[in-house]
Amino acid sequence: MLMGMTEKEDERYTLALDIYKDADWLHSMVENILNLTRLQDGKLILDKQPEAVEEVVGVAVAAFSKREPEHEIVVRIPDEVLLVPMDARLIEQTLVNLIDNAIKHTPPNGEVEVCVQEDRNKASAVFTVADRGTGIAEEDLPHIFEMFYTTRTKGADALRGVGLGLAICKSVISAHGGMITAHNRHDGPGAEFVFTLPMEVKNSVEQK
Amino acid sequence: MLNRNEQILVVEDDTQIRNFICYALKQEGFSYTTAGTAQNALSQLVSGQIDLMLLDLGLPDFDGMEVIKKVREWSEMPIIVVSARDQDKEKAAALDGGADDYLTKPFSAMELMARIRVALRHLHKIESSKTQSILSVGKLKIDFDKRLIYLDDAELHVTPMEYDLLALFFNNIGKVLTTKYILKEIYGVGYGTDTQVLRALMAGLRRKIEKNPARPRYILTEIGVGYRLVDE
């Protein structure tokens, strides 16, 4: 509201923008923490429904067009609709965390890529979030999904992370029966985060 | 600053949010009244002339659903519910129970005004009972008389079900439609929870009207709730 009342050149606009961004970040972090503790306590019940991957990706990416217009997010999805059983809210949160991470490690005007494909052999959907940053240091790779683990990257934004975003991603994906991994890209600089979601909801009680 | 005729009732027990909403309404020239409890809201609704209600779902005394149910016994006034981010089921239930739209905290003054504008537009449409045979949003156009869809002025081939779906959205421009509501309107009462069939239909339609199905311009997904055809 304050931003709507001030001219962009007015220094109060920048201050209001900073407050908005910080409040937004704080809100996201609180939500992350709540989901993480609920998942770990086994108290979060996944609401799994068949969802169109393009919708979940679309909503996650749309959250950034408001916040970060200077980064380009490229999305690649299959031509045919891919319906995957998932808790849409939690997978959206997972994608938001991964995209946020990618943006933080990408220089301005750098591209972040979100890609979804079906892996027919293993009957799962494969999601990839890739950036063109400096990549992940070798010593960090085995720890990157641990709670509170933060990497010693340069830049002001590194100070804002408390190391929970990736931990929640791992909890959510594991709860879905999927897997999440990270590695450095082979075709140039940057990191790639890949997670899978099983296409079939494995339920030992009802066997169709 | 336009002086509008509508009287808005703001039902919100959180003082700061209530103040924020009232300030935003005042800026836009709306007259409003407030209530911090469902009891207070109901007594105002019964005695006063309220045209639109903003209703927080987390009230201290009554469940917001009860308020909606009661109001809908005698009024078709637009109801916009306000709720927290992780209350998708409550939002959907409120919408299916008679609310017209929702806002998720925290929301901006811009979002608030956008929702109110859409709600009032539909209210005036119903009151005037004037129906237009051609409506358009961006480059997407519908001709109700001819039962045709146009994209960028070229006729777009759609299946009968896709047409029905677009007609439903065009009759509710800017308003959220829950998955359950859409299923009922397009497929009939028996399809209650089969979201899969709707997701597939939406995906097919999206591929026809959107340049990039993963970055839609027309029909946006509202996770956990439903879909919305947006004007701007």
Side-chain angles (χ1 to χ4, degrees):
Chain A
M1 184 162 74
L2 286 174
M3 280 158 63
M5 292 160 63
T6 353
E7 292 302 318
K8 282 203 167 90
E9 299 79 44
D10 190 327
E11 65 169 34
R12 288 173 296 179
Y13 182 89
T14 322
L15 288 171
L17 181 64
D18 286 342
I19 294 171
Y20 179 79
K21 279 187 176 165
D22 281 347
D24 207 31
W25 171 81
L26 192 65
H27 190 90
S28 279
M29 188 167 79
V30 170
E31 189 178 352
N32 267 326
I33 294 171
L34 282 174
N35 281 336
L36 188 64
T37 48
R38 282 182 197 141
L39 270 171
Q40 294 185 332
D41 288 345
K43 291 204 176 84
L44 191 65
I45 302 159
L46 259 54
D47 180 16
K48 270 195 234 179
Q49 297 280 330
E51 304 284 353
V53 299
E54 67 216 39
E55 288 184 18
V56 184
V57 169
V59 173
V61 170
F64 289 91
S65 56
K66 281 183 259 172
R67 293 194 244 170
E68 309 268 355
E70 64 270 7
H71 283 95
E72 167 117 15
I73 304 178
V74 171
V75 178
R76 276 209 270 277
I77 49 159
D79 288 332
E80 280 141 36
V81 60
L82 189 56
L83 292 178
V84 181
M86 67 172 93
D87 183 313
R89 262 283 172 229
L90 290 179
I91 299 300
E92 184 218 335
Q93 186 66 51
T94 300
L95 284 165
V96 164
N97 286 354
L98 291 175
I99 297 171
D100 192 50
N101 202 47
I103 284 177
K104 284 202 172 73
H105 290 88
T106 301
N109 301 319
E111 199 180 82
V112 170
E113 206 178 280
V114 181
C115 176
V116 189
Q117 316 165 269
E118 189 177 10
D119 184 348
R120 276 184 203 286
N121 298 339
K122 295 174 193 156
S124 54
V126 183
F127 294 72
T128 309
V129 178
D131 62 69
R132 282 291 177 208
T134 49
I136 308 167
E138 280 304 311
E139 66 263 20
D140 291 328
L141 270 174
H143 304 287
I144 205 156
F145 293 105
E146 287 165 18
M147 276 178 66
F148 303 115
Y149 191 85
T150 50
T151 60
R152 274 185 231 92
T153 43
K154 301 182 193 85
D157 279 341
L159 299 170
R160 299 171 99 209
V162 291
L164 285 177
L166 292 179
I168 177 122
C169 293
K170 179 153 188 212
S171 279
V172 169
I173 301 305
S174 301
H176 278 82
M179 280 190 51
I180 184 165
T181 55
H183 57 262
N184 289 310
R185 298 175 83 162
H186 306 303
D187 62 346
E192 209 167 71
F193 285 79
V194 184
F195 69 87
T196 62
L197 290 178
M199 299 287 290
E200 282 289 321
V201 177
K202 285 192 170 59
N203 193 330
S204 53
V205 178
E206 321 164 3
Q207 285 288 344
K208 292 219 173 113
Chain B
M1 234 190 303
L2 284 166
N3 218 330
R4 304 181 199 247
N5 298 322
E6 292 92 2
Q7 172 92 322
I8 298 180
L9 173 61
V10 182
V11 190
E12 170 63 68
D13 62 320
D14 183 312
T15 328
Q16 286 177 331
I17 296 179
R18 196 174 61 227
N19 287 344
F20 166 74
I21 294 174
C22 293
Y23 186 86
L25 291 177
K26 195 152 79 165
Q27 291 286 97
E28 293 289 322
F30 282 105
S31 21
Y32 59 86
T33 170
T34 66
T37 63
Q39 288 282 54
N40 188 337
L42 284 169
S43 60
Q44 287 193 53
L45 285 160
V46 169
S47 57
Q49 178 62 1
I50 305 290
D51 300 295
L52 184 152
M53 173 168 60
L54 287 166
L55 173 67
D56 186 297
L57 285 184
L59 291 172
D61 55 341
F62 257 82
D63 186 0
M65 291 291 296
E66 292 295 318
V67 179
I68 297 172
K69 206 164 88 173
K70 278 210 147 51
V71 172
R72 282 289 176 251
E73 279 170 18
W74 74 78
S75 169
E76 282 303 310
M77 76 167 72
I79 300 175
I80 301 173
V81 293
V82 176
S83 64
R85 196 172 130 86
D86 63 350
Q87 289 187 299
D88 290 339
K89 286 207 161 65
E90 288 83 351
K91 282 175 217 164
L95 292 164
D96 289 323
D100 296 274
D101 217 319
Y102 70 97
L103 279 161
T104 309
K105 296 188 272 202
F107 52 86
S108 64
M110 235 171 57
E111 286 173 78
L112 172 66
M113 293 322 304
R115 292 284 185 270
I116 291 176
R117 236 180 287 128
V118 167
L120 290 176
R121 199 191 321 155
H122 287 289
L123 176 69
H124 295 143
K125 193 174 78 175
I126 292 168
E127 283 172 348
S128 74
S129 68
K130 227 178 14 176
T131 44
Q132 288 175 266
S133 64
I134 297 182
L135 287 174
S136 64
V137 166
K139 294 198 157 75
L140 190 63
K141 187 159 62 182
I142 188 168
D143 187 326
F144 286 109
D145 290 338
K146 295 188 185 150
R147 281 185 70 91
L148 286 175
I149 303 291
Y150 299 88
L151 184 63
D152 217 346
D153 291 321
E155 196 182 312
L156 183 71
H157 172 74
V158 291
T159 66
M161 216 161 243
E162 286 170 345
Y163 174 85
D164 287 342
L165 186 54
L166 280 170
L168 186 62
F169 279 115
F170 269 103
N171 278 320
N172 293 279
I173 297 177
K175 222 172 99 148
V176 68
L177 299 178
T178 63
T179 307
K180 189 169 167 190
Y181 177 77
I182 298 171
L183 278 169
K184 192 186 74 172
E185 294 295 306
I186 303 298
Y187 289 96
V189 191
Y191 274 82
T193 50
D194 189 358
T195 55
Q196 191 153 343
V197 69
L198 180 59
R199 302 274 178 250
L201 179 66
M202 287 298 315
L205 180 61
R206 215 177 289 129
R207 275 152 182 71
K208 290 185 181 176
I209 66 175
E210 306 284 359
K211 272 205 177 79
N212 184 347
R215 319 237 1 204
R217 179 259 175 264
Y218 296 108
I219 302 181
L220 303 191
T221 304
E222 316 248 316
I223 292 208
V225 179
Y227 299 92
R228 186 191 306 267
L229 171 63
V230 296
D231 205 343
E232 69 280 335

